[in-house]
């Protein structure tokens, strides 16, 4: 919708432009908007206000590719923030008849959207606060993922752990060491969330065995953000490289009034 809104504006201002030129110009602007929202609004909350270094321009020597530890573990922190229901709101912010949709009934099920339209779900998602980032996830993600709605399914936590092992990403402690962080020496380490160490000790014989996704979620928030220091280090590295290694980054594309807009 935003792409089409911008394309309509550009078409009105530039009637000589063809479809391809309109498409590319609108696409460029939408990408810039997403980058601004991500780096100026989302990441300061997630990582702390001063986590990323200031942008100093495109650097051709920077590798912007996504690390497996980011994709397989650190950026999956959001699985702990999912709520068990999705609000459905009308244009006045009031719930539709029948109330919210339980997320266990939403997996791979487009019927409610075909019945209600997409707008009530977008309004509901936009108004909903995420759950706290911690080492817990809701039961529908643990027991009902990928199955037919309401019929049971798989365990997202188990999938995340196995994916990390399949990808050969480092253990929690090995990742910490590679990132320049001190190794965790015991399940009583003060960097762990209250009670998390005891839970880890029930299933891991050593802190050196803890999987990266599990250990990262078990850490207390660091740096004024939401994630612990291990995930914070991985995320800072990734989002810095993603920005600095992108020659189409919006601050490298726009200047003056266009950049301020």
């Amino acid at each position: 919708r935003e792409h089409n809104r911008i394309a309509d504006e550009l078409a009105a201002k530039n009637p000589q432009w063809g479809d391809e030129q309109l498409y590319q110009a609108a696409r460029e602007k939408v990408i810039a908007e997403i980058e601004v929202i991500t780096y100026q609004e989302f990441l300061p909350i997630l990582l702390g206000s001063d986590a990323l270094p200031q942008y100093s321009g495109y650097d051709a020597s920077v590798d912007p590719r996504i690390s497996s530890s980011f994709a397989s573990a650190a950026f999956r922190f959001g699985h702990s923030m999912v709520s068990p229901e999705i609000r459905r709101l009308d244009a006045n912010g009031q719930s539709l008849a029948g109330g919210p949709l339980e997320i266990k009934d939403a997996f791979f099920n487009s019927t409610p959207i075909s019945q209600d339209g997409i707008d009530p779900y977008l309004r509901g998602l936009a108004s909903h606060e995420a759950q706290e980032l911690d080492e817990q996830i809701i039961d529908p993600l643990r027991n009902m993922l990928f199955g037919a709605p309401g019929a049971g399914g798989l365990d997202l936590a188990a999938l995340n752990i196995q994916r990390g092992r399949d990808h050969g990403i480092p253990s929690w402690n090995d990742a910490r060491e590679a990132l320049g962080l001190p190794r965790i020496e015991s399940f009583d380490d003060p960097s762990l969330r209250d009670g998390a160490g005891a839970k880890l000790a029930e299933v891991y014989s050593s802190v050196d065995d803890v999987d990266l996704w599990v250990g990262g979620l078990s850490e207390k928030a660091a740096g004024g953000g939401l994630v612990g220091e291990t995930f914070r280090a991985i995320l800072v590295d990734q989002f810095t490289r993603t920005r600095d290694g992108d020659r189409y980054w919006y601050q490298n594309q726009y200047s003056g009034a266009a950049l301020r807009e």
Side-chain angles (χ1 to χ4, degrees):
R1 288 178 175 178
E2 176 65 354
H3 173 99
N4 289 342
R5 184 189 70 82
I6 293 171
D8 288 343
E9 284 187 353
L10 292 171
K13 295 176 182 178
N14 305 279
Q16 75 279 12
W17 285 10
D19 287 348
E20 182 66 16
Q21 190 170 3
L22 287 170
Y23 169 79
Q24 295 295 348
R27 177 176 180 266
E28 180 183 81
K29 195 166 184 178
V30 170
I31 290 171
E33 289 180 344
I34 293 171
E35 290 172 345
V36 170
I37 291 167
T38 302
Y39 280 75
Q40 295 188 19
E41 299 180 31
F42 173 63
L43 291 181
I45 295 172
L46 179 64
L47 304 175
S49 58
D50 299 318
L52 270 63
Q54 290 293 316
Y55 182 65
S56 58
Y58 168 60
D59 185 346
S61 69
V62 171
D63 184 351
R65 291 178 297 177
I66 304 300
S67 77
S68 195
S69 292
F70 172 90
S72 300
F75 207 50
R76 295 177 187 268
F77 70 84
H79 293 166
S80 80
M81 303 174 74
V82 176
S83 296
E85 61 183 31
I86 303 171
R87 294 174 182 169
R88 297 182 290 183
L89 304 180
D90 63 22
N92 296 315
Q94 301 300 309
S95 179
L96 298 188
L101 177 68
E102 291 193 46
I103 197 169
K104 68 180 179 64
D105 296 324
F107 297 138
F108 295 96
N109 180 20
S110 60
T111 300
I113 293 176
S114 67
Q115 295 172 341
D116 303 326
I118 190 64
D119 286 8
Y121 297 92
L122 297 178
R123 296 188 194 105
L125 291 168
S127 70
H128 206 292
E129 291 184 355
Q131 291 200 354
E132 184 176 359
L133 198 159
D134 52 28
E135 75 282 10
Q136 302 180 57
I137 63 175
I138 58 174
D139 282 342
L141 294 184
R142 286 185 54 246
N143 300 313
M144 302 174 183
L145 196 65
F146 302 133
L154 301 177
D155 181 341
L156 183 58
L159 289 172
N160 285 344
I161 293 167
Q162 189 60 51
R163 181 187 295 105
R165 296 175 182 181
D166 286 346
H167 282 228
I169 63 173
S171 68
W172 175 41
N173 246 346
D174 286 348
R176 288 180 59 86
E177 183 175 12
L179 293 162
L181 300 171
R183 296 182 71 89
I184 301 295
E185 299 297 333
S186 77
F187 290 113
D188 297 322
D189 193 283
S191 68
L192 291 170
R193 298 180 185 274
D194 294 342
K199 295 176 184 177
L200 294 174
E202 292 180 1
V203 291
Y204 292 101
S205 60
S206 167
V207 288
D208 292 330
D209 295 335
V210 178
D211 294 272
L212 179 54
W213 181 72
V214 176
L217 286 180
S218 300
E219 294 179 7
K220 294 177 181 176
L226 303 180
V227 295
E229 58 182 359
T230 303
F231 278 3
R232 185 175 188 268
I234 295 172
L235 294 168
V236 167
D237 165 73
Q238 183 63 68
F239 280 104
T240 301
R241 291 189 294 103
T242 299
R243 177 194 68 186
D244 295 353
D246 178 10
R247 64 191 178 98
Y248 295 110
W249 180 253
Y250 80 94
Q251 289 168 288
N252 202 42
Q253 295 290 101
Y254 294 96
S255 61
L259 178 59
R260 289 192 295 275
E261 181 190 357

